[in-house]
Amino acid sequence: MKKSYRILIVDDEESVRRMLTTVFTRDGHQPICAEDGQQALELFEQQTPDIVLMDIRMPKLNGMEALQVMRQTHQSIPVILMTAYAAVETAVEALRLGAFDYVIKPFDLDELKMMIGRAMQLREMKQEINLLHRALSDSYQWDRILTNSPKMMELCKDTAKIAQSNASVLITGESGTGKELIAKAIHYNSPRAKGPFIKINCGALPESLLESELFGHEKGAFTGAQTQRQGLFERANQGTLLLDEVGEMPHNLQVKLLRVLQEREFERLGGSQTIKTDIRLIAATNRNLAAMVEQGEFRQDLFYRLNVIHLSPIPLRERPEDISLLAQHFLQKFSAENGKEIVELDPSTLTILESYPWPGNVRELSNAIERAVIMSTGFIIFPDELPEHLQQQLNVPHISETVHTLIGHTLKENLKAYERELICTALANNQGNRVQTARVLGISRRALMYKLQEYRID
Ligand SMILES: Nc1ncnc2c1ncn2[C@@H]1O[C@H](COP(=O)(O)OP(=O)(O)OP(=O)(O)O)[C@@H](O)[C@H]1O
Ligand SMILES: [Mg+2]
């Protein structure tokens, strides 16, 4: 059965309203008409249509103004604008304000019908995704590891195998690369999945507190210990304990941890009773533990015990194929969380994301997209909704400006002058950092050095 939609038609020209009413009634829909923006808003509120078709140029309140009010009250109702002028700027502005799409008058009816079909289909899909998303986030506390990178896929495969064992795992990698996510993936895919997953940040607590957090204490073990308290080694029993920032663990505690790993037993602070514990231990750090061992900052025997299996997620800049995938994922996630219906990234937004080196890795990308989703009022994320330091990635001079100043020279001279200018801008944007500049320009550092010399850039 074909679906019947309530379609709000807004146009100050009676002939347009009459024509569209006839067509849509014949197709089994229920058209409602308004002749200016103000009346449109009244009907919009009273009747909550499924979709709105609206002229831009109208008396009282124009289409752009009415659109803005509609987007604020019912974001999920798509609005298609009709414009008599092939003014691309108005149309782009309309998209930015949240219009689903626009048609230029005189329009092709079949095209308009197809557009309505697409808008309604998308709306239904979005509603379904939102429902699924809610159901999913209720049943799992962790996101799946998403990747298109062969190296990361290898790591995911390893994760599945490792989950079946009980071996200790060491996860090292830059901040925000997904270390905690990997630890959760191991836990929730392991036979311990029903047991607790507990994380402690070894760098966040002073030594004495960290010690009592991990081992627990008996009543009166120290001033302030008024009751007996279980530590994490007990609470994580039959589950997984993640020691985050393990490189920050004080020396004295490293010795005590080693014993827990070897004997699987310990005593609470101030206690004499030996307690057995059955935990899987995962340690994570963004420091180079092997180097710390060499410098005597980390115990070698503990390092070997933790490092039974070593996983190392690579930085995001070394897997650019993941940027678009993860950006889309975060777009959906934060869109659903914020009750928005953003569906895509503008191509220039994606270009910026893909050329930025992401020192904060996946977390930084996630934060950038969350911010953009919150700032955006439309269906598409535009570059100016990204954090400012990201927008600077695109700050290269427009080619025509450069070429204008150089007319009269050969093509090669022009290209060279333009190349020089691009390099200077990229260097400035990256605070003179050559490694980063080369990366942004997509050339090797050697090639960049060569060009710096050739163009005598300091
Ligand atoms: N491959 C991925 N797929 C989906 N989400 C990811 C992926 N990698 C990281 N994330 C998400 O990015 C955020 C940062 O990841 P996580 O906390 O695991 O990083 P981390 O390496 O532990 O960072 P830090 O060193 O700062 O503690 C989390 O929200 C995580 O869910
Ligand atoms: Mg972490």
Side-chain angles (χ1 to χ4, degrees):
M1 198 190 77
K2 255 194 103 179
K3 290 196 175 147
S4 168
Y5 300 123
R6 201 196 299 260
I7 305 176
L8 176 58
I9 300 162
V10 192
D11 202 303
D12 55 339
E13 263 177 80
E14 213 217 321
S15 59
V16 176
R17 296 199 301 270
R18 202 166 345 116
M19 185 268 289
L20 288 176
T21 307
T22 313
V23 171
F24 291 135
T25 311
R26 204 173 50 209
D27 286 352
H29 300 299
Q30 305 144 259
I32 319 161
C33 290
E35 50 185 65
D36 59 56
Q38 218 158 50
Q39 199 186 8
L41 286 182
E42 279 160 30
L43 290 173
F44 184 80
E45 273 308 312
Q46 286 164 14
Q47 316 239 350
T48 18
D50 293 306
I51 186 162
V52 180
L53 295 182
M54 182 158 58
D55 194 17
I56 293 187
R57 279 237 173 159
M58 289 182 299
K60 292 193 187 158
L61 197 68
N62 72 36
M64 300 291 270
E65 292 162 334
L67 168 68
Q68 290 181 55
V69 180
M70 289 174 178
R71 292 300 292 165
Q72 274 159 21
T73 47
H74 295 281
Q75 257 220 357
S76 63
I77 300 176
V79 179
I80 294 175
L81 288 175
M82 309 184 281
T83 170
Y85 308 91
V88 177
E89 269 148 53
T90 320
V92 168
E93 181 59 20
L95 292 183
R96 181 187 298 275
L97 290 175
F100 175 77
D101 212 333
Y102 60 90
V103 286
I104 294 165
K105 287 182 187 173
F107 47 77
D108 176 350
L109 258 181
D110 287 331
E111 193 195 340
L112 181 62
K113 284 186 195 174
M114 255 160 51
M115 203 182 272
I116 294 176
R118 263 209 320 272
M120 297 318 292
Q121 214 180 356
L122 194 67
R123 181 180 176 196
E124 279 152 27
M125 247 168 58
K126 265 278 153 187
Q127 281 166 347
E128 215 162 294
I129 289 175
N130 281 355
L131 280 179
L132 282 175
H133 221 283
R134 223 160 284 157
L136 267 178
S137 51
D138 286 346
S139 54
Y140 294 97
Q141 294 94 9
W142 61 287
D143 285 323
R144 256 161 34 85
I145 302 172
L146 296 173
T147 187
N148 277 332
S149 138
K151 274 193 193 157
M152 288 296 286
M153 283 181 196
E154 250 341 276
L155 187 148
C156 288
K157 264 197 238 152
D158 293 345
T159 302
K161 280 184 243 157
I162 292 162
Q164 299 312 312
S165 81
N166 219 5
S168 298
V169 182
L170 177 65
I171 308 176
T172 57
E174 282 181 21
S175 150
T177 44
K179 297 187 292 296
E180 186 171 340
L181 187 63
I182 292 167
K184 285 180 179 163
I186 293 174
H187 172 76
Y188 287 106
N189 283 306
S190 77
R192 302 171 170 271
K194 290 215 166 72
F197 174 86
I198 296 180
K199 171 187 119 164
I200 180 162
N201 183 338
C202 303
L205 296 175
E207 176 167 352
S208 56
L209 259 184
L210 180 61
E211 184 172 17
S212 80
E213 268 300 299
L214 287 173
F215 293 87
H217 57 75
E218 297 294 347
K219 186 176 172 182
F222 48 84
T223 6
Q226 284 160 357
T227 52
Q228 183 207 67
R229 188 157 186 271
Q230 284 195 344
L232 297 186
F233 287 134
E234 265 171 276
R235 300 221 307 266
N237 196 31
Q238 302 200 327
T240 304
L241 181 62
L242 169 60
L243 296 176
D244 209 358
E245 295 189 30
V246 74
E248 312 303 317
M249 187 170 264
H251 204 266
N252 164 41
L253 287 184
Q254 291 181 22
V255 181
K256 291 189 77 174
L257 173 61
L258 183 65
R259 174 173 166 230
V260 179
L261 277 173
Q262 279 169 341
E263 322 279 339
R264 303 276 155 185
E265 60 183 35
F266 66 95
E267 288 91 36
R268 296 189 192 117
L269 298 186
S272 50
Q273 181 201 351
T274 299
I275 299 168
K276 290 250 168 231
T277 180
D278 166 27
I279 55 171
R280 137 75 60 66
L281 206 103
I282 302 181
T285 178
N286 50 23
R287 300 184 60 177
N288 183 342
L289 275 195
M292 288 178 73
V293 168
E294 253 167 49
Q295 280 152 22
E297 290 170 39
F298 199 86
R299 283 187 69 102
Q300 188 169 41
D301 44 9
L302 178 60
F303 175 67
Y304 287 142
R305 278 278 165 183
L306 293 174
N307 195 24
V308 177
I309 292 167
H310 181 204
L311 293 175
S312 183
I314 55 179
L316 190 54
R317 64 181 167 278
E318 286 171 27
R319 42 180 162 122
E321 60 270 50
D322 275 355
I323 293 177
S324 157
L325 175 78
L326 288 167
Q328 297 290 346
H329 163 70
F330 292 128
L331 196 60
Q332 276 190 10
K333 176 176 164 189
F334 293 120
S335 204
E337 276 181 15
N338 290 285
K340 296 209 170 182
E341 311 223 356
I342 300 160
V343 284
E344 60 181 312
L345 300 166
D346 184 68
S348 49
T349 308
L350 191 59
T351 307
I352 294 181
L353 297 181
E354 286 183 330
S355 54
Y356 181 68
W358 299 109
N361 294 296
V362 186
R363 174 168 306 109
E364 188 183 5
L365 176 63
S366 164
N367 290 346
I369 301 285
E370 181 172 16
R371 179 201 127 106
V373 166
I374 291 169
M375 302 307 279
S376 168
T377 46
F379 288 93
I380 301 170
I381 302 278
F382 291 98
D384 61 2
E385 286 149 348
L386 293 175
E388 235 163 67
H389 64 285
L390 285 183
Q391 291 176 35
Q392 284 164 10
Q393 293 289 310
L394 266 199
N395 271 351
V396 287
H398 196 276
I399 193 154
S400 59
E401 288 170 25
T402 319
V403 172
H404 268 303
T405 60
L406 292 165
I407 274 171
H409 298 259
T410 65
L411 176 65
K412 203 164 183 184
E413 285 169 339
N414 269 326
L415 288 177
K416 284 201 159 189
Y418 186 57
E419 185 174 63
R420 183 179 200 277
E421 208 165 330
L422 276 178
I423 293 173
C424 287
T425 312
L427 262 177
N429 282 348
N430 291 287
Q431 287 81 40
N433 182 326
R434 292 175 181 191
V435 179
Q436 218 152 294
T437 303
R439 199 175 292 134
V440 169
L441 292 172
I443 57 179
S444 69
R445 199 162 55 133
R446 206 139 158 236
L448 177 64
M449 291 312 203
Y450 175 78
K451 284 179 193 298
L452 291 181
Q453 226 174 22
E454 186 191 8
Y455 296 133
R456 300 202 171 77
I457 303 171
D458 302 316

